[in-house]
């Protein structure tokens, strides 16, 4: 390993390239240990500037210099300019995120007539790097629209001849530079870095062609992440659109004409429906009529105290365990001992129950009880809905509860006061529109398939983000 | 100068005096002095004008009557007349202008504190044994001329007082012009200014003018004259006076106020607004514990109130035998007297009357005893006529959202219904108005503009109108709910249950989204190829 790390040139990690990405941290710690040794043994070796992961056509050590020497540096800190309702968009530290400018956040403008005064220190160009000195510290983005004003905790950097701006963007976002910034930051509640310190920070860089190649690669990965996010948004829109049309019956499934039903229970129905080309009309029912049990969790004296939770035990879900999109946040599930579970017997979960958040900021959030929590228990902020399988499919109920019609009922009855909650009585009164069981099945399967697709894209996003992180760790020194 | 300009100028002048002269004194403390002296000046002017009318046939004037040979007899005659007509009496030497002159003569401060104290006492005492005694008794008790707040030494106190009197003396109060309420309104403006400047405690909040106006317009709907108006928590009386502005004539004003200082202000406010002492009866006690014995058996045609929000009260079981509360079977909770005030008001409401009351939002949906009382008012009594949700943050010193409940004992006023629209009858329905989103933001405060107020009143009056040419149900604003619907909601009156302000979702074009997704796939494929190429060059695994 040591030899591999010491190699001044070429392919950083030939056979073990994949593990080096996954296990990036262990490698790094090896690396750190190694460099410590080297400091002890030989001073000359500490200046070795070669990244672990490198395009093979490039060789030789990287340069390193102070930020001040390699960029032209403009400080836009100081008194905030006069703002107006329209004019030139004002980019402040609030708009600068890790890697991009968020134009949706804090929409402020400076009057056009003041623009030249506000920007007397110099106008931005596409490609310039923006850096936030505090609140938040160390966010970096690249100017993609020259028609902006800059102010408040923003520094503008423009690479000199030897520096590619996009390379600089990725370099500054890499852990090596972020760590440096944090080490030099001062302040307690708000961490910030002084202009002087920032100018003195060291930046390592290879020759321009290698910079550009690294920049192009990392930008492509960013593009991919962005595309995946767009894909996710589109899919969510798609699901919302499908739900709009399905639950208002603008869009309807048709019965399968060929196959007789396999399930014994429905043969009678299929007999009557055999010649029908359409499912029957939906019926309006109250939630209480289609559930065999509606029950919230135990509260009062028997509610588990903080010291009664255990590491391993029966899953105990409270409202914090329900995400907005109908997901269960697994690391927000608490656990209670079996005895406690037996004591809290109001609401023992069963497979296919639907959970409903009956109070709080996340009121109305819904989740499905799958195998992982099917033997669990719930707190009083949650209500379990156990369907009467003859009338309604559990999965259909799940999607129904997220439909606009039900969400509207929840919103109109939510008084917004802290005391407000949907008791069992109020919950039972929600009105649902119920189609034929077979139509329910089709709708539920369709929507669940879209959910799976969204979930898959989500996983892709986090995997690609991890990939990017690995690259940032290894492609810079 | 128009009336409005005059009024504006007067308000400004008075407020400037108040601000300039108070020095380091607490605004709240100074209020009692400045308001007291304005009142004293007003009484003086009225006294002088009235006396001059009496003396005119004899060719005399009040300034000179004391040097007349029959001065004593004349004054006694004037005194007799004044006590009946005005309710009080002031000798020529006791007039405001006289004291101001004395204090400032020869451009130096002459000591008048003693004289002034005597005059104020003598105003109060002039009414002893007469009909106006209750209205003038202890009226000036908050104007404490011995208080160290005025200054450390007697001279310092005197100096300040003389300064205030001198400044006030320069203002023309225009009392003769009895048609306009300029002075009274300016007086009330000062009360409001002081209230909004001072820190509020115990849930007492000065009712903003616009809210007073809404209440006043609600209870005067379809009326041009009122036999009586009543406010069980009347404060400085601004609500009562506001109601008077909405009709041609109000027979009598009744009010109760527990804070003695505010009670004094209220009486002064009444007199400053030319309400004759025989026409008003304000009582100083806690309304829930000690309702005025003069009021309790009376029934009033209009009742308005802005009781302290969710105040504490004893909720003692003894109240269960009190006529005001006994029928309901439950008392308002100890920590929330809101419904106790409503019950008190219902008790005092005449069969043809209307009451309107500002309350915190919670009265609409809180359960337990309050839910029970709500149900009783709606189901057993059918008194609830309308629920109006107001914007949050319109009161000085509190940002809580509030609502107005309108109650009527007789709601069966429907005669004909338009044939086209089938609307629930008045006595089978309750009007809900959601005005919570209709306001103007002014600095940190939300303010109701006239247009917002007009829409509320217009909607309520549409609802009241026998023929209801226009339905009072307005999209995203108001809804005429049937009692059955309210019953369905377990008598929970939370407005969003009835007025639908939920924004509809914008319909999504599935074809477009599908197309976008497909295009995106092509783009992603291109990006994937680029990344794969780089990965190959780096000799690492492609991530896709």
């Amino acid at each position: 390993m040591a030899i591999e790390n010491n190699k001044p040139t070429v392919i950083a990690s030939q056979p073990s390239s994949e593990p080096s990405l996954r296990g990036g941290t262990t490698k790094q710690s090896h690396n750190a240990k190694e460099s410590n040794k080297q400091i002890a043994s030989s001073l000359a070796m500490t200046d070795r500037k070669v990244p672990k992961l490198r395009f093979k056509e490039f060789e030789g050590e990287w340069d390193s210099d102070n930020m001040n020497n390699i960029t032209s540096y403009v400080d836009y800190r100081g008194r905030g300019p006069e703002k107006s309702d329209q004019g030139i968009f004002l980019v402040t530290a609030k708009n600068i995120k890790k890697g991009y400018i968020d134009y949706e956040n804090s929409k402020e403008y400076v009057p056009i007539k003041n623009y030249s005064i506000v920007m007397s220190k110099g106008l931005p160009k596409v490609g310039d790097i923006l850096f936030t000195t505090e609140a938040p510290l160390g966010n970096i983005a690249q100017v993609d629209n020259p028609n902006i004003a800059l102010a408040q905790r923003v520094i503008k950097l423009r690479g000199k001849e030897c520096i590619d701006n996009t390379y600089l963007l990725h370099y500054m976002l890499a852990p090596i530079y972020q760590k440096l910034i944090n080490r030099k930051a001062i302040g307690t509640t708000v961490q910030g870095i002084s202009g002087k310190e920032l100018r003195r920070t060291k930046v390592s860089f290879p020759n321009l062609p290698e910079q550009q190649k690294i920049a192009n690669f990392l930008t492509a990965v960013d593009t991919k992440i962005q595309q995946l996010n767009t894909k996710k948004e589109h899919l969510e829109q798609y699901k919302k659109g499908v739900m709009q049309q399905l639950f208002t019956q603008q869009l309807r499934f048709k019965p399968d004409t060929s196959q007789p039903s396999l399930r014994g229970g429905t043969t009678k129905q299929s007999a009557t429906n055999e010649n029908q080309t359409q499912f029957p009309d939906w019926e309006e029912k109250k939630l209480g009529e289609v559930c065999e049990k509606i029950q919230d969790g135990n509260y009062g004296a028997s509610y588990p105290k903080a010291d009664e939770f255990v590491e391993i035990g029966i899953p105990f879900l409270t409202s914090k365990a329900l995400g907005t999109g109908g997901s269960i946040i697994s690391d927000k599930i608490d656990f209670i001992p079996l005895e406690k579970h037996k004591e809290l017997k109001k609401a023992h979960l069963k497979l296919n129950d639907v959970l409903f958040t009956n109070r709080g900021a996340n009121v109305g959030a819904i989740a499905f009880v799958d195998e992982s929590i099917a033997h669990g228990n719930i707190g009083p902020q949650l209500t379990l809905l156990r369907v009467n399988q003859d009338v309604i499919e559990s999965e259909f109920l799940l999607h129904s509860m997220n439909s606009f019609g039900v969400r509207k009922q929840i919103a109109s009855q939510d008084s917004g006061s802290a005391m407000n909650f949907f008791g069992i009585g109020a919950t039972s009164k929600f009105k649902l529109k119920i189609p034929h069981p077979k139509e329910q099945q089709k709708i539920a399967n369709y929507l669940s398939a879209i959910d799976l697709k969204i979930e898959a894209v989500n996983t892709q996003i986090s995997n690609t983000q991890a990939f990017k992180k690995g690259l940032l760790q290894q492609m810079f020194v | 100068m128009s009336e409005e300009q005059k009024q504006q100028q007067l308000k400004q002048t008075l407020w400037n005096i108040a601000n300039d002269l108070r020095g380091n004194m607490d605004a709240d403390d100074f209020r009692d002095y400045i308001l007291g002296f304005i009142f004293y000046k007003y009484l003086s002017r009225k006294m002088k004008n009235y006396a001059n009318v009496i003396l005119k046939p004899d060719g005399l004037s009040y300034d000179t009557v004391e040097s007349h040979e029959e001065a004593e007899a004349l004054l006694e005659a004037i005194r007799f007349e004044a006590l009946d007509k005005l309710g009080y009496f002031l000798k020529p030497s006791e007039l405001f202008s006289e004291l101001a002159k004395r204090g400032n003569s020869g451009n130096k401060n002459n000591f008048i504190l003693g004289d002034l104290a005597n005059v104020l006492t003598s105003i109060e005492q002039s009414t002893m044994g007469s009909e106006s005694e209750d209205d003038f008794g202890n009226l000036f008790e908050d104007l404490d001329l011995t208080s160290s707040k005025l200054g450390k030494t007697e001279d310092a106190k005197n100096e300040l007082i003389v300064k205030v009197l001198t400044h006030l003396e320069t203002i023309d109060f225009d009392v003769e012009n009895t048609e306009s309420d300029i002075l009274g309104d300016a007086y009330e403006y000062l009360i409001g200014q002081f209230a909004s400047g001072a820190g509020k405690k115990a849930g007492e909040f000065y009712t903003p003018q616009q809210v007073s106006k809404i209440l006043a317009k609600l209870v005067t709907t379809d009326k041009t004259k009122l036999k009586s108006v009543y406010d069980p928590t009347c404060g400085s009386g601004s609500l009562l006076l506001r109601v008077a502005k909405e009709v041609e004539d109000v027979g009598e004003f009744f009010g109760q106020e527990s804070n003695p200082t505010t009670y004094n202000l209220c009486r002064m406010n009444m007199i400053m607004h030319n309400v004759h002492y025989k026409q008003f009866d304000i009582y100083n006690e806690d309304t829930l514990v000690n309702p005025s014995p003069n009021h309790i058996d009376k029934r009033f045609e209009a009742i308005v109130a802005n009781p302290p929000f969710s105040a504490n009260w004893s909720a003692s079981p003894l109240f269960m035998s009190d006529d005001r509360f006994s029928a309901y079977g439950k008392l308002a909770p100890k920590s929330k007297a809101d419904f106790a005030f409503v019950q008190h008001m219902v008790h005092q409401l005449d069969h043809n009357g209307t009451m309107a009351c500002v309350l915190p939002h919670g009265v609409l949906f809180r359960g337990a005893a309050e839910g029970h009382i709500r149900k009783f008012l709606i189901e057993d009594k059918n008194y609830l006529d309308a629920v109006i949700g107001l914007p949050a943050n319109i009161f000085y010193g509190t940002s809580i959202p509030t609502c107005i409940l309108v109650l009527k004992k007789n709601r069966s006023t429907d005669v004909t219904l338009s044939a086209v629209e089938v609307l629930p009858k008045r006595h089978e329905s309750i009007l809900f108005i959601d005005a919570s989103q209709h306001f103007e933001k002014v600095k940190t405060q939300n303010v109701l503009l006239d247009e917002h107020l007009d829409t509320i009143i217009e909607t309520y009056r549409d609802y009241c109108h026998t023929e209801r040419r226009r339905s009072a149900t307005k999209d995203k604003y108001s809804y005429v709910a049937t009692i059955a619907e309210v019953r369905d909601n377990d008598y929970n009156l939370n407005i969003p249950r009835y007025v639908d302000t939920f924004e509809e979702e914008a319909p999504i074009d599935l074809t477009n989204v599908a197309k976008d997704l497909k295009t995106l796939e092509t783009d992603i494929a291109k990006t994937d190829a680029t990344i794969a190429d780089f990965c190959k060059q780096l000799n690492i695994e492609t991530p896709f």
Side-chain angles (χ1 to χ4, degrees):
Chain A
M1 290 290 260
I3 293 162
E4 187 184 293
N5 280 332
N6 278 334
K7 270 190 186 171
T9 50
V10 268
I11 316 107
S13 42
Q14 269 163 341
S16 58
S17 62
E18 207 194 329
S20 78
L21 273 180
R22 296 275 158 79
T25 43
T26 44
K27 269 265 160 129
Q28 286 235 320
S29 59
H30 277 295
N31 201 357
K33 272 181 210 161
E34 287 304 328
S35 17
N36 284 342
K37 254 188 230 164
Q38 281 148 16
I39 290 164
S41 60
S42 147
L43 251 172
M45 295 305 282
T46 53
D47 286 321
R48 182 189 46 86
K49 287 282 183 191
V50 174
K52 206 158 141 193
L53 190 61
R54 193 171 189 184
F55 289 109
K56 53 192 164 210
E57 66 266 39
F58 300 108
E59 51 186 51
E61 280 193 25
W62 287 18
D63 275 335
S64 172
D65 207 340
N66 285 354
M67 184 66 90
N68 199 30
N69 295 333
I70 57 162
T71 60
S72 60
Y73 172 107
V74 183
D75 191 337
Y76 288 95
R77 288 179 294 178
R79 213 150 53 92
E82 181 198 325
K83 288 156 197 165
S84 59
D85 291 338
Q86 49 185 8
I88 313 269
F89 193 95
L90 178 68
V91 173
T92 71
K94 283 181 258 178
N95 301 96
I96 300 171
K97 305 293 172 191
K98 286 239 184 303
Y100 63 98
I101 299 175
D102 180 1
Y103 292 101
E104 293 307 308
N105 193 17
S106 159
K107 290 184 179 170
E108 294 177 326
Y109 301 86
V110 295
I112 293 170
K113 61 178 168 48
N114 294 354
Y115 186 57
S116 55
I117 304 160
V118 174
M119 297 303 288
S120 58
K121 288 173 177 172
L123 297 173
K125 274 205 307 207
V126 168
D128 284 351
I129 304 299
L130 304 177
F131 177 89
T132 62
T133 54
E134 61 179 10
L137 163 68
N139 277 2
I140 296 132
Q142 199 167 17
V143 174
D144 52 2
N145 169 11
N147 201 20
I148 51 168
L150 300 169
Q152 286 166 303
R153 314 191 297 282
V154 174
I155 305 263
K156 187 192 77 187
L157 303 164
R158 185 179 297 163
K160 293 183 177 165
E161 310 77 58
C162 59
I163 293 292
D164 179 87
N165 278 322
T166 313
Y167 169 80
L168 187 62
L169 170 80
H170 291 297
Y171 183 85
M172 291 176 79
L173 286 166
I176 188 161
Y177 190 75
Q178 288 284 318
K179 271 185 213 157
L180 182 67
I181 291 294
N182 282 313
R183 241 188 359 252
K184 298 207 167 171
I186 46 167
T188 44
T189 43
V190 177
Q191 288 265 301
I193 186 163
S194 70
K196 192 173 142 204
E197 285 286 357
L198 180 65
R199 267 183 283 227
R200 283 210 310 232
T201 53
K202 284 261 189 265
V203 175
S204 308
F205 54 95
N207 62 26
L208 267 181
E210 189 174 356
Q211 283 183 38
Q212 277 149 5
K213 188 145 189 180
I214 294 171
N216 289 344
F217 178 35
L218 291 173
T219 304
V221 178
D222 280 345
T223 308
K224 169 81 179 180
I225 295 173
Q226 212 186 335
Q227 284 166 336
L228 286 173
N229 275 316
T230 314
K231 184 173 176 178
K232 189 182 150 195
E233 278 165 31
H234 281 347
L235 282 171
E236 280 165 350
Q237 279 296 101
Y238 182 76
K239 185 188 168 195
K240 196 170 155 187
V242 166
M243 284 183 68
Q244 279 178 354
Q245 300 202 14
L246 284 175
F247 284 98
T248 51
Q249 291 127 72
Q250 292 170 55
L251 201 60
R252 297 217 39 193
F253 282 105
K254 295 227 162 22
D256 302 326
T257 40
S258 53
Q259 297 279 347
S261 171
L262 291 172
R263 282 210 279 167
T266 47
T267 39
K268 261 186 207 161
Q269 271 176 325
S270 62
T272 54
N273 289 339
E274 212 150 27
N275 297 323
Q276 285 181 1
T277 53
Q278 233 176 313
F279 282 121
D281 286 344
W282 295 26
E283 275 179 69
E284 190 174 275
K285 290 223 162 89
K286 288 190 176 151
L287 191 56
E289 300 172 67
V290 300
C291 286
E292 62 184 36
K293 184 170 185 174
I294 295 178
Q295 181 63 57
D296 51 1
N298 288 75
Y299 44 86
S302 54
Y303 187 82
K305 291 170 197 66
D307 60 359
E308 287 183 275
F309 291 110
V310 291
E311 287 291 311
I312 299 164
I314 304 291
F316 183 80
L317 284 83
T318 56
S319 57
K320 68 182 179 192
L322 261 64
T324 36
S327 57
I328 298 275
I329 309 166
S330 50
D331 57 357
K332 293 279 171 68
I333 299 177
D334 294 316
F335 295 93
I336 50 171
L338 187 61
E339 306 81 71
K340 192 76 197 170
H341 175 63
K342 283 179 181 161
E343 186 190 331
L344 304 173
K345 55 180 170 230
K346 266 175 83 177
H348 284 184
L349 298 180
K350 266 194 195 168
L351 191 63
N352 296 341
D353 282 349
V354 172
L355 294 178
F356 169 72
T357 310
N358 61 39
R359 72 188 79 188
N362 211 7
V363 65
I366 306 288
F368 194 69
V369 175
D370 60 13
E371 287 85 356
S372 68
I373 53 166
H375 55 298
N377 206 326
I378 51 174
Q381 316 90 331
L382 298 181
T383 304
L384 74 80
L385 313 172
R386 184 164 300 154
V387 299
N388 176 349
Q389 299 275 6
D390 296 338
V391 192
I392 187 169
E393 288 265 337
S394 174
E395 241 177 289
F396 178 77
L397 175 67
L398 176 82
H399 293 299
S400 284
M401 292 296 288
N402 278 322
S403 70
F404 182 73
V406 175
R407 279 193 288 118
K408 187 173 161 174
Q409 292 176 55
I410 295 170
S412 72
Q413 292 182 32
D414 182 13
S415 68
S417 108
M419 298 289 288
N420 188 60
F421 76 104
F422 292 93
I424 294 169
T427 311
S428 316
K429 281 189 186 158
F430 288 134
K431 291 179 196 136
L432 299 176
K433 289 212 167 150
I434 317 267
H436 184 272
K438 283 201 172 169
E439 193 178 356
Q440 285 183 34
Q441 229 173 57
K442 281 179 188 287
I443 291 172
N445 290 347
Y446 181 31
L447 292 175
S448 297
I450 301 174
D451 279 345
L452 276 180
K453 177 78 186 166
I454 294 172
E455 197 42 51
V457 176
N458 240 344
T459 314
Q460 252 181 312
I461 291 172
S462 44
N463 287 347
T464 312
Q465 277 165 342
F467 179 66
K468 161 104 190 279
K469 206 169 158 191
L471 294 175
L472 286 179
Q473 281 169 0
Q474 297 182 44
M475 295 190 75
F476 298 104
V477 285
Chain B
M1 219 189 314
S2 75
E3 294 276 285
E4 205 165 306
Q5 284 170 315
K6 262 191 211 166
Q7 167 130 34
Q8 201 47 45
Q9 198 187 20
L10 184 58
K11 281 178 181 173
Q12 207 48 51
T13 318
L14 288 174
W15 181 242
N16 287 346
I17 293 177
N19 244 346
D20 292 347
L21 298 184
R22 87 179 156 90
N24 295 330
M25 210 160 145
D26 216 22
D28 244 8
D29 293 325
F30 193 69
R31 176 191 67 182
D32 299 335
Y33 293 100
I34 187 90
L35 293 177
F37 285 132
I38 293 173
F39 183 61
Y40 167 40
K41 174 166 173 170
Y42 172 83
L43 291 183
S44 299
R45 281 301 294 264
K46 277 211 103 154
M47 180 66 226
K48 188 172 161 184
N49 290 345
Y50 181 66
N52 280 338
V53 171
I54 300 175
L55 291 169
K56 206 175 174 197
D58 301 322
L60 297 169
S61 88
Y62 206 45
D63 294 333
T64 54
V65 74
E66 275 181 320
S67 53
H68 195 270
E69 50 194 29
E70 283 175 55
E72 217 159 292
L74 279 169
L75 282 176
E76 195 44 51
I78 293 170
R79 179 191 166 85
F80 183 78
E81 292 280 320
L83 276 180
D84 181 60
K85 187 80 200 326
L86 303 178
Y88 63 94
F89 174 70
L90 279 168
K91 280 188 264 182
S93 57
E94 292 172 336
L95 294 177
F96 185 94
S97 49
E98 278 303 305
L99 260 91
K101 218 186 285 165
R102 226 178 296 157
N104 206 26
S105 66
N107 272 334
K108 56 175 195 253
N109 286 316
N110 299 305
F111 196 79
I112 55 163
L113 276 191
D115 289 352
L116 190 54
N118 289 337
V119 172
L120 297 181
T121 323
S122 115
I123 296 176
E124 290 174 1
Q125 282 176 350
S126 72
T127 65
M128 288 253 255
S130 73
E131 226 183 303
S132 58
E133 186 179 343
D134 280 350
D135 297 325
F136 285 88
N138 293 326
L139 199 49
F140 291 106
E141 72 180 347
D142 294 305
L143 215 159
D144 179 4
L145 294 173
T146 61
S147 166
S148 58
K149 284 171 187 157
L150 285 172
K152 281 195 180 117
T153 63
E154 287 300 295
D155 280 342
K157 289 176 198 171
N158 192 61
E159 197 185 326
L160 178 59
I161 295 298
V162 168
K163 223 160 53 176
V164 175
L165 293 192
T166 317
H167 273 85
L168 285 178
E169 181 57 17
T170 60
I171 305 172
D172 180 12
F173 275 6
D174 197 19
V175 178
E176 293 79 1
N177 190 353
T178 46
E179 283 303 300
S180 75
D181 248 347
I182 293 184
L183 182 60
D185 288 349
Y187 193 72
E188 212 181 304
Y189 166 81
L190 279 188
I191 297 177
Q193 280 297 97
F194 277 114
S196 64
K200 291 289 135 320
K201 32 192 184 312
E204 282 173 44
F205 303 101
Y206 182 80
T207 316
Q209 278 291 333
Q210 294 292 69
V211 177
S212 300
K213 242 193 216 175
I214 296 174
L215 294 177
K217 283 183 190 283
L218 287 171
V219 296
T220 53
T221 296
D222 289 335
K223 295 204 168 147
T224 51
K225 281 180 182 171
L226 285 174
K227 230 166 59 201
S228 56
V229 55
Y230 172 63
D231 181 347
T233 54
C234 64
S236 54
S238 66
L239 260 174
L240 290 171
L241 291 163
R242 176 52 70 181
V243 173
K245 287 201 169 129
E246 297 298 333
V247 284
E248 287 160 16
D249 184 53
V250 170
E252 288 175 290
F253 297 80
F254 297 90
Q256 183 156 348
E257 169 58 39
S258 65
N259 179 320
T261 305
T262 322
Y263 159 72
N264 290 338
L265 275 185
C266 179
R267 290 184 295 166
M268 292 187 204
N269 204 7
M270 287 287 149
I271 295 164
M272 297 279 298
H273 279 89
N274 272 319
V275 179
H276 195 263
Y277 75 90
K278 286 175 182 164
Q279 266 188 301
F280 73 87
D281 178 9
I282 312 292
Y283 188 67
N284 178 212
E285 261 296 353
D286 184 312
T287 310
L288 296 179
V289 183
N290 290 312
S292 162
N294 289 336
H295 300 167
I296 195 74
D297 294 324
K298 287 196 170 69
R299 297 293 175 264
F300 306 111
E301 192 174 357
I303 304 184
V304 282
N306 178 13
F309 296 143
S310 298
N312 289 323
W313 75 306
S314 74
S316 151
L318 293 175
F319 282 120
M320 284 306 293
S321 55
D322 188 314
D323 282 350
R324 295 175 293 168
F325 311 110
S326 55
Y328 297 79
K330 275 187 184 167
L331 291 173
K334 225 174 180 164
S335 59
K336 295 173 191 81
D338 303 318
F339 268 110
F341 283 109
V342 172
Q343 288 167 321
H344 172 85
M345 290 164 77
V346 165
H347 175 83
Q348 307 272 207
L349 184 64
D350 208 350
H351 65 94
N352 68 342
T354 306
M355 60 172 263
C357 182
V358 187
L359 295 158
H361 217 214
V363 300
L364 300 179
F365 52 80
R366 288 193 297 242
E370 295 181 277
H372 180 87
I373 295 170
R374 261 200 319 270
K375 180 180 173 190
F376 187 87
L377 284 170
I378 297 165
E379 195 67 75
D380 299 46
K381 291 291 177 194
N382 195 6
Y383 287 166
L384 185 61
D385 199 37
V387 176
I388 302 166
L390 299 176
N393 202 19
I394 53 170
F395 282 78
Y396 311 112
T398 178
S399 62
I400 62 164
T402 51
C403 63
I404 298 172
L405 295 189
V406 184
L407 289 92
K408 280 175 82 72
K409 286 194 169 163
N410 178 8
R411 303 209 298 133
S412 54
T413 45
D414 272 331
V415 185
T416 51
L417 278 173
S418 100
V420 199
E421 280 173 294
V422 184
L423 291 161
K425 292 193 175 68
R426 174 102 172 250
H427 65 275
E428 288 167 357
S429 65
I430 296 171
L431 171 69
F432 288 85
I433 298 179
D434 183 357
S436 62
Q437 300 311 315
H438 300 251
F439 58 82
E440 179 90 357
K441 213 170 157 57
V442 178
K443 287 180 190 163
T444 58
Q445 203 77 29
N446 292 338
V447 176
L448 290 165
L449 301 182
D450 282 341
E451 61 194 80
H452 305 130
L453 185 148
D454 291 344
T455 325
I456 294 175
I457 297 303
E458 204 177 277
T459 310
Y460 178 72
R461 293 191 171 166
D462 284 346
Y463 173 64
C464 296
H465 203 283
T466 338
E467 287 168 35
R468 274 189 240 158
R469 276 182 219 98
R470 283 174 294 167
S471 162
T473 294
K474 294 175 184 165
D475 189 35
K476 296 200 186 309
Y477 185 71
S478 58
Y479 181 69
V480 179
T482 61
I483 303 267
E485 282 172 84
V486 176
R487 192 180 300 132
D488 243 16
N489 275 301
D490 289 329
Y491 308 96
N492 182 322
L493 301 176
N494 199 26
I495 297 166
R497 292 190 178 215
Y498 306 95
V499 184
D500 181 2
T501 54
F502 203 60
E503 281 302 323
E504 290 296 319
E505 278 181 343
I508 289 162
D509 185 341
L510 284 178
T511 323
N512 267 344
V513 181
K515 217 181 277 168
D516 288 348
L517 272 166
K518 275 190 216 153
T519 322
L520 192 62
E521 283 308 324
T522 334
D523 295 345
I524 290 180
K526 277 184 209 151
T527 316
D528 285 356
T530 313
I531 295 173
D533 178 43
F534 280 117
C535 287
K536 210 172 138 202
Q537 296 185 47
L538 280 170
N539 202 14
I540 58 173
E541 197 75 33
T542 343
F544 322 110

